[in-house]
């Protein structure tokens, strides 16, 4: 157990003043160092996506990040069982409104949009294992069980509640979360500082969750657990929020008369469960909470929960508080990412700047769009989506730097035997005296360790940057060695073999390291080089062919491969390019 977590446990053992009715043993079990518990399952989640509209690249970005991390985990340990959950959030007044606007019943509307998210995952090779819909019977059963646990532990009570309510966001807000503005008629109104949506004063009888009792414990969790929320920027945001003012108790139900499209509170049909409590419990549904089959213990807690910054408060305050109350371990890491804007503006239907990932994949390919989002997106700040930039990046890096290098070293004109050739050790030592060869070999040998560090820090853009830098050095080596001239000289046959071998080994290592990012393209590359799937793992890329005296030539697969076709705008006149 690391020192920070040991100190945290000592703090808990010392008592939590002011937390009556809550035993320290329960607290300790809820927040105890999660690395005490060894699991066979790596459990990763995306948010479940709200079905008030079709998916856009922001939804895809969350899914691609999670898929990339899951694939990386498999690359490190083929024996790991991956549990990867995603799904759709289908209750609430906004869904009622959207279904009415589309002249569909709520469930038929939800069926339609949920299918679009399944199609998105299929199109972009998102290898989820669980797809939870909040309208599913097993989820509703789990939600009601969880509600009963919270109520039995006296964390839910009924009371009159009043405050500023945002219909669009379906949440109550404190005064500090509001901003006064003038509407189109010059009337002063309050809006949410975060979303910009208007609020109204509401008074009603609701069920409330005793969120206020968990404030100090939430602060301790964030202060003592360095990986609770990543990047650290977002952990600091949560701490600032928790330190600024006292948390009010949280309204966790709505009158059925106002929000009828929801799950009714057990034993009280006059109320429906708050959509965020409903949505957050999806992770428990996927983990098979309260099923008595022993699987929940194997799955829980989640190792990584990928979220967007707009839902940080719900996952970084409400969610851990619910889990603490239910005596459940907290997620090991909340991985929070920033948003994609278009023209530096937030995507919205009214602005007409929604980027449809399926349509873009018809031009960029699925792996191409995956690559661009992971290559350009950084978790700590918003990315500005631009079609023209995407095309430049994909043409330069996938078509030219990666694809063209593969084409050149596997072309029959330079490689008539179509093989990953064996090395002559003496010739290799001579070639290694050249700076371009020495630099290439050093770059390739460092690359797996650099990428491993970046993957483990969730800095996928730095992984890609390191791979591309290494491929640039391979292209420079190839150009400098002029293999097309060596081909003309029979006495230089073994030098040509060394050039081809070093280039192909660079491609092998790069291809395996890029498998989590561009699984289809990397598999095509490795297939062409005839690299067996059993060696598609981190261990194999830390062993290099030029250090293996037993290496024999490998016959390439005969099929020609176009790894990534350059995108020509003139061939796509209907494609609108955002500037």
């Amino acid at each position: 157990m690391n020192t920070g977590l040991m100190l945290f446990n000592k703090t808990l053992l010392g008592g939590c003043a002011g937390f009556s009715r809550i035993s320290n043993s329960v607290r300790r079990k809820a927040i105890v160092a999660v690395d005490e518990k060894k699991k066979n399952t790596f459990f990763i989640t995306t948010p479940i996506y709200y079905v008030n509209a079709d998916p856009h690249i922001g939804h895809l970005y969350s899914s691609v990040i999670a898929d990339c991390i899951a694939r990386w985990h498999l690359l490190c340990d083929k024996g790991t069982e991956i549990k990867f959950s995603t799904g759709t959030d289908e209750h609430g007044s906004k869904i009622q409104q959207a279904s009415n606007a589309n002249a569909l019943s709520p469930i038929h509307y939800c069926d339609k949009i949920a299918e679009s998210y399944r199609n998105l995952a299929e199109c972009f090779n998102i290898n989820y294992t669980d797809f939870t819909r909040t309208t599913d019977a097993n989820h509703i059963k789990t939600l009601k069980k969880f509600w009963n646990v919270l109520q039995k532990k006296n964390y839910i009570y009924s009371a009159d509640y009043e405050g500023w309510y945002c219909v669009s966001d379906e949440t109550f807000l404190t005064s500090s979360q509001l901003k006064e503005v003038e509407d189109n008629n010059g009337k002063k109104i309050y809006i949410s500082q975060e979303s910009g949506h208007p609020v109204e004063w509401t008074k009603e009888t609701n069920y409330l969750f005793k969120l206020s009792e968990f404030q100090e414990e939430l602060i301790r969790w964030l202060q003592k657990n360095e990986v609770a929320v990543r990047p650290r920027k977002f952990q600091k945001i949560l701490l600032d929020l928790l330190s600024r003012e006292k948390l009010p108790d949280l309204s966790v139900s709505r009158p059925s008369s106002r929000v009828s499209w929801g799950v009714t509170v057990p034993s009280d049909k006059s109320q429906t469960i708050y959509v965020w409590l409903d949505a957050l419990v999806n992770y428990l549904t996927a983990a098979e909470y309260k099923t008595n089959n022993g699987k929940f213990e194997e799955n829980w807690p989640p190792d990584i929960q990928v979220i967007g910054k707009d839902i940080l408060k719900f996952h970084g305050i409400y969610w851990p508080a619910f889990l603490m109350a239910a005596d459940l371990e907290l997620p090991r890491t909340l991985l929070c990412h920033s948003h994609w804007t278009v023209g530096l503006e937030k995507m919205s239907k009214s602005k007409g700047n929604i980027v449809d990932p399926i349509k873009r994949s018809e031009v960029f390919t699925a792996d191409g769009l995956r690559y661009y989002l992971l290559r350009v997106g950084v978790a700590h700040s918003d990315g500005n989506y631009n079609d023209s930039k995407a095309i430049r990046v994909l043409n330069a890096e996938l078509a030219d730097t990666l694809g063209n290098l593969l084409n050149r070293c596997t072309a029959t004109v330079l490689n008539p035997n179509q093989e990953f050739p064996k090395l002559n050790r003496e010739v290799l030592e001579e070639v290694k005296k050249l700076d371009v060869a020495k630099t290439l070999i050093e770059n390739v040998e460092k690359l797996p360790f650099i990428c491993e560090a970046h993957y483990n820090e969730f800095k996928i853009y730095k992984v890609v940057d390191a791979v591309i830098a290494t491929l640039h050095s391979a292209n420079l080596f190839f150009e400098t060695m002029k293999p097309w001239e060596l081909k003309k000289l029979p006495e230089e046959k073994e030098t040509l073999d060394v050039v081809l071998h070093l280039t192909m080994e660079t491609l092998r290592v790069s291809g395996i390291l890029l498998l989590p990012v561009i699984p289809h393209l990397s598999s095509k590359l490795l297939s062409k080089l005839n690299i067996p799937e059993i060696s598609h793992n981190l261990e194999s890329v830390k062993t290099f062919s030029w250090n293996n005296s037993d290496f024999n030539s490998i016959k390439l697969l005969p099929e020609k491969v176009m790894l990534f076709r350059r995108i020509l705008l003139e061939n796509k006149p209907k494609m609108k390019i955002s500037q």
Side-chain angles (χ1 to χ4, degrees):
M1 183 183 293
N2 68 49
T3 305
L5 289 167
M6 288 178 68
L7 289 171
F8 192 20
N9 289 337
K10 287 179 182 177
T11 302
L12 293 172
L13 285 165
C16 301
F19 284 77
S20 61
R21 303 182 308 280
I22 306 173
S23 72
N24 284 330
S25 63
V26 169
R27 281 288 166 272
R28 195 160 53 249
K29 284 178 72 176
I31 311 179
V32 71
V34 293
D35 57 353
E36 274 188 355
K37 176 182 175 182
K38 301 298 181 184
K39 308 186 300 163
N40 294 325
T41 303
F42 179 78
F43 184 19
I44 187 165
T45 71
T46 74
I48 54 172
Y49 303 115
Y50 205 45
V51 298
N52 62 325
D54 287 321
H56 55 63
I57 58 165
H59 305 115
L60 176 63
Y61 188 47
S62 295
S63 290
V64 165
I65 290 172
D67 184 71
C68 183
I69 293 169
R71 289 176 186 272
W72 166 248
H73 207 81
L74 269 181
L75 211 64
C76 296
D77 182 3
K78 287 286 187 184
T80 302
E81 181 180 342
I82 301 292
K83 191 169 190 64
F84 176 6
S85 78
T86 188
T88 44
D89 180 4
E90 303 182 10
H91 288 130
S93 57
K94 284 193 288 186
I95 306 305
Q96 287 176 266
Q97 294 164 8
S99 63
N100 290 337
N102 285 270
L104 292 169
S105 67
I107 190 60
H108 285 103
Y109 173 79
C110 290
D111 288 345
K112 177 177 175 289
I113 303 298
E115 189 61 25
S116 71
Y117 279 96
R118 287 186 185 274
N119 291 339
L120 183 76
E122 182 178 359
C123 177
F124 289 92
N125 297 307
I126 310 298
N127 281 345
Y128 65 82
T129 60
D130 296 81
F131 192 98
T132 301
R133 298 178 57 183
T134 55
T135 52
D136 288 342
N138 66 323
H139 170 74
I140 293 171
K141 186 177 179 181
T142 302
L143 175 60
K144 291 192 173 187
K145 284 180 178 178
F146 189 70
W147 176 282
N148 288 334
V149 167
L150 297 182
Q151 196 164 48
K152 186 177 180 181
K153 289 176 177 288
N154 296 316
Y155 289 118
I156 289 179
Y157 64 96
S158 178
D160 289 337
Y161 188 86
E162 60 181 322
W164 292 106
Y165 185 72
C166 180
V167 175
S168 297
D169 300 335
E170 303 198 48
T171 188
F172 282 95
L173 299 171
T174 62
S175 297
S176 64
Q177 295 173 298
L178 305 179
K179 181 168 69 172
E180 189 178 57
V181 297
E182 288 187 358
D183 65 14
N184 294 334
N185 299 317
K187 181 183 175 182
K188 289 186 176 181
I189 62 169
Y190 288 108
I191 64 171
S192 165
Q193 282 192 30
E194 184 176 340
S195 68
H197 295 140
V199 299
E200 58 187 36
W201 189 261
T202 301
K203 182 176 181 179
E204 57 193 27
T205 300
N206 288 336
Y207 287 95
L208 277 73
F209 170 73
K210 295 178 182 178
L211 181 65
S212 57
E213 294 195 1
F214 295 90
Q215 186 157 1
E216 291 303 317
E217 192 129 11
L218 288 166
I219 291 172
R220 288 194 185 100
W221 168 60
L222 291 167
Q223 285 177 336
K224 301 299 182 181
N225 185 346
E226 292 184 356
V227 298
V229 183
R230 306 291 298 276
R232 291 296 298 274
K233 164 185 176 178
F234 295 112
Q235 192 153 327
K236 185 178 184 302
I237 288 171
L238 287 171
L239 278 168
D240 289 346
L241 181 61
L242 287 164
S243 303
R244 193 183 311 136
E245 59 186 28
K246 182 173 174 59
L247 287 177
D249 284 350
L250 178 67
S251 172
V252 288
S253 74
R254 302 289 182 263
S256 300
S257 58
R258 184 155 63 82
V259 185
S260 61
W261 182 243
V263 179
T264 55
V265 168
S267 304
D268 187 351
K269 292 183 179 180
S270 72
Q271 298 274 316
T272 55
I273 296 174
Y274 175 42
V275 288
W276 267 106
L277 176 55
D278 180 356
L280 290 165
V281 169
N282 95 86
Y283 307 124
L284 294 170
T285 302
E288 302 188 52
Y289 177 67
K290 294 281 185 183
T291 54
N292 299 320
N293 60 8
K295 289 189 177 180
F296 181 73
E297 289 70 23
E298 294 175 17
N299 296 328
W300 200 262
D303 294 274
I304 308 289
Q305 296 208 266
V306 178
I307 60 171
K309 67 178 184 180
D310 57 321
I311 54 176
L312 176 63
K313 177 181 69 176
F314 303 100
H315 284 80
I317 296 178
Y318 300 170
W319 177 225
F322 292 148
L323 294 174
M324 289 174 186
D327 192 16
L328 294 173
E329 287 187 48
L330 307 191
R332 294 182 174 178
T333 298
L334 295 176
L335 177 57
C336 184
H337 66 76
S338 298
H339 291 164
W340 282 93
T341 60
V342 177
L344 300 177
E345 292 187 320
K346 186 177 179 180
M347 283 184 285
S348 72
K349 280 184 175 180
S350 60
K351 292 175 183 174
N353 63 351
I354 300 289
V355 180
D356 182 339
I358 300 291
K359 287 185 178 178
R360 286 308 188 274
S361 72
E362 294 169 3
V363 179
F364 300 153
T365 74
D367 266 23
L369 189 52
R370 279 180 68 114
Y371 181 86
Y372 178 72
L373 294 177
L374 294 172
R375 172 74 164 115
V376 176
V378 294
H380 55 268
S381 59
D382 289 348
N384 188 50
Y385 180 84
N386 183 291
D387 281 331
S388 298
K389 182 178 179 180
I391 291 167
R392 288 195 300 272
V393 168
L394 297 179
N395 282 344
E397 298 184 357
L398 294 187
D400 296 344
T401 302
L402 180 62
N404 196 40
L405 187 63
L406 176 67
N407 291 342
R408 296 174 83 180
C409 67
T410 60
T412 53
V413 65
L414 289 181
N415 195 341
N417 294 332
Q418 287 294 283
E419 62 182 6
F420 191 145
K422 185 177 180 179
L423 286 170
N424 180 305
R425 296 285 152 183
E426 291 182 3
V427 176
L428 172 63
E429 291 307 312
E430 287 300 311
V431 172
K432 284 169 68 174
K433 292 176 182 178
L434 299 171
D435 286 344
V436 286
K438 189 186 303 180
T439 299
L440 174 60
I441 289 172
E442 287 176 356
N443 287 346
V444 174
E445 291 184 343
K446 291 176 183 176
L447 186 61
F449 303 94
I450 292 171
C451 290
E452 182 178 18
H454 290 324
Y455 269 125
N456 290 339
E457 288 289 316
F458 314 118
K459 294 177 179 176
I460 303 165
Y461 67 100
K462 287 194 172 184
V463 171
V464 179
D465 196 51
V467 172
I468 293 299
T470 300
L471 290 169
H472 282 159
S473 67
N475 276 284
L476 178 60
F477 166 75
F478 200 85
E479 287 288 331
T480 303
M481 295 304 296
K482 296 181 171 61
W484 53 89
E485 292 186 3
L486 296 174
K487 180 69 177 66
K488 299 173 185 176
L489 305 172
E491 66 273 19
E492 295 291 353
K493 168 69 168 62
E494 291 182 333
T495 304
L496 175 60
D497 285 348
V498 168
V499 173
L500 295 176
H501 183 104
L502 295 185
T503 305
M504 290 186 192
E505 179 66 346
T506 305
L507 287 166
R508 179 189 74 87
V509 172
S510 299
I512 292 173
L513 291 171
L514 286 177
L515 272 167
V517 179
I518 44 174
H520 179 65
L521 292 183
S522 288
S523 294
K524 279 174 68 176
L525 182 153
L526 296 167
S527 178
K528 176 62 182 176
L529 298 180
N530 207 4
I531 307 302
E533 192 171 335
I534 195 172
S535 67
H536 295 184
N537 56 63
L538 181 61
E539 184 180 358
S540 76
V541 293
K542 291 182 177 179
T543 305
F544 307 97
S545 60
W546 48 68
N547 295 329
N548 180 5
S549 58
D550 295 326
F551 183 90
N552 288 312
S553 64
I554 301 172
K555 204 70 177 171
L556 304 179
L557 292 192
E559 294 82 5
K560 288 185 178 181
V561 172
M562 172 61 72
L563 201 61
F564 189 87
R565 193 177 300 278
R566 286 183 64 82
I567 302 167
L568 303 175
L569 290 183
E570 57 268 29
N571 292 342
K572 296 290 178 181
K574 294 182 180 178
M575 180 179 175
K576 182 180 178 181
I577 305 298
S578 55
Q579 299 302 324

